């Protein structure tokens, strides 16, 4: 639990404040709005992770198209209340968080370029990246990128890691470090499998790539929190979409 500044103690620094749930919610609010508004306008197919959340709610008889984005808000606000953090609004903090997330997306993006050179919208890399959705142009690709950052990180990092870590540490009474390691591996494995859960044919090189990416994203989540990793993921997908759009334009 984050501690507020008290006499004799230094005030909370950037790394602590940027991990607070309320700050993550405010930081990610533009992505939520852009994805939810942009999907009906530019990308008629929602990403698979959002569909998973919607189907999960439907199994309990709760049916609403808007539940996934409401869940993002409710989860982060509930964590904020549970932690008893301050209700702060820090514009400078969010600016630095965007810089950090963008920089952290670069290694993953370079890794992709080294492995796949010049991908296009029709390459297996991109069709698997979108996992069950189809992007015909850069506008659709950008909208899907924002949704992937939000909902894939919500499912595979925030939810999966929390559940697995709780089972390892609370049920089996194993050390915290063991719980973190196991939850990262499980999260990365499920993340890789998810990208082939639709109609995409399994490819070992892509599976290993997404497993490695999952380990990287899970490690960032454990160290830096949900806000940073969701923005990192979104920026990585945006980078991929921009490069692919440029490749398509040059090829044309």
């Amino acid at each position: 639990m984050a501690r507020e500044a008290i006499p004799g103690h230094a005030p909370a620094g950037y790394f602590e404040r940027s991990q607070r749930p309320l700050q993550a919610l405010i930081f990610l609010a533009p992505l939520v709005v852009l994805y939810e508004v942009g999907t009906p306008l530019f990308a008629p197919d929602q990403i698979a992770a959002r569909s998973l959340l919607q189907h999960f709610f439907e199994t309990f008889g709760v049916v609403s198209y808007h539940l996934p984005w409401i869940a993002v808000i409710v989860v982060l606000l509930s964590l904020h209340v549970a932690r008893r953090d301050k209700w702060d609004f820090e514009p400078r903090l969010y600016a630095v968080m965007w810089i950090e997330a963008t920089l952290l997306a670069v290694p993953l993006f370079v890794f992709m370029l080294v492995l796949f050179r010049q991908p296009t919208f029709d390459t297996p890399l991109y069709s698997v990246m979108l996992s069950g959705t189809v992007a015909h142009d850069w506008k659709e690709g950008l909208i899907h990128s924002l949704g992937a950052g939000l909902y894939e990180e919500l499912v595979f990092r925030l939810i999966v890691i929390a559940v697995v870590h709780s089972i390892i540490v609370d049920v089996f009474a194993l050390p915290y470090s063991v719980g973190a390691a196991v939850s990262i591996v499980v999260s990365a494995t499920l993340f890789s499998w998810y990208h082939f859960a639709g109609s995409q044919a399994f490819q070992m090189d892509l599976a290993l790539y997404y497993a490695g990416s999952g380990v990287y994203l899970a490690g960032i989540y454990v160290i830096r929190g949900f806000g940073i990793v969701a923005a990192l993921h979104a920026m990585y997908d945006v980078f991929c979409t921009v490069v692919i759009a440029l490749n398509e334009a040059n090829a044309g």
Side-chain angles (χ1 to χ4, degrees):
M1 180 185 298
R3 302 291 183 182
E4 304 305 334
I6 58 176
H9 290 257
Y14 165 75
F15 286 98
E16 180 183 334
R17 294 182 355 259
S18 60
Q19 295 184 65
R20 293 175 179 173
L22 179 64
Q23 305 311 325
L25 176 58
I26 298 172
F27 170 63
L28 295 173
L31 296 190
V32 177
V33 173
L34 288 172
Y35 178 77
E36 296 299 333
V37 173
T39 296
L41 294 175
F42 302 111
D45 296 322
Q46 63 178 328
I47 65 165
R50 192 186 190 283
S51 297
L52 279 175
L53 288 170
Q54 203 165 342
H55 293 326
F56 172 79
F57 290 122
E58 289 173 357
T59 60
F60 295 95
V62 184
V63 180
S64 173
Y65 175 82
H66 301 288
L67 278 175
W69 68 262
I70 293 173
V72 173
I73 296 173
V74 170
V75 167
L76 291 175
L77 281 180
S78 298
L79 291 172
H80 168 75
V81 172
R83 288 164 50 101
R84 300 180 182 178
D85 289 334
K86 293 173 63 176
W87 294 83
D88 288 336
F89 178 71
E90 304 185 56
R92 291 184 180 179
L93 176 72
Y94 314 134
V96 178
M97 289 173 70
W98 272 114
I99 293 172
E100 180 187 359
T102 302
L103 291 175
L104 288 172
V106 171
L108 201 57
F109 178 63
V110 172
F111 183 39
M112 183 278 292
L113 290 179
V114 169
L115 291 179
F116 301 104
R117 302 291 177 175
Q118 293 185 316
T120 65
F121 286 116
D122 296 325
T123 59
L125 167 71
Y126 202 70
S127 61
V128 172
M129 184 176 87
L130 296 178
S131 186
T133 59
V134 177
H136 300 96
D137 58 33
W138 64 269
K139 289 178 288 186
E140 262 187 289
L142 290 180
I143 295 299
H144 290 319
S145 297
L146 303 181
L150 285 169
Y151 295 112
E152 289 180 9
E153 292 311 308
L154 179 68
V155 171
F156 293 102
R157 256 57 74 176
L158 188 60
I159 295 175
V160 168
I161 286 180
V163 170
V164 174
H165 190 271
S166 179
I167 292 172
I168 297 297
V169 175
D170 298 331
V171 176
F172 293 101
L174 294 173
Y176 180 94
S177 58
V178 174
V182 172
S183 61
I184 286 174
V185 171
V186 171
S187 169
T189 303
L190 291 176
F191 182 66
S192 180
W193 168 83
Y194 153 85
H195 286 87
F196 298 95
S199 58
Q200 296 81 9
F202 179 83
Q203 293 182 244
M204 181 58 72
D205 57 343
L206 286 175
L208 293 174
Y209 168 71
Y210 280 105
S213 299
V215 170
Y216 180 74
L217 292 167
I220 295 296
Y221 168 75
V222 169
I223 297 170
R224 296 297 296 119
F226 178 71
I228 294 294
V229 77
L232 181 171
H233 190 153
M235 289 307 300
Y236 162 75
D237 282 6
V238 166
F239 290 164
C240 290
T241 300
V242 170
V243 166
I244 288 170
L246 291 174
N247 287 340
E248 295 262 331
N250 291 334

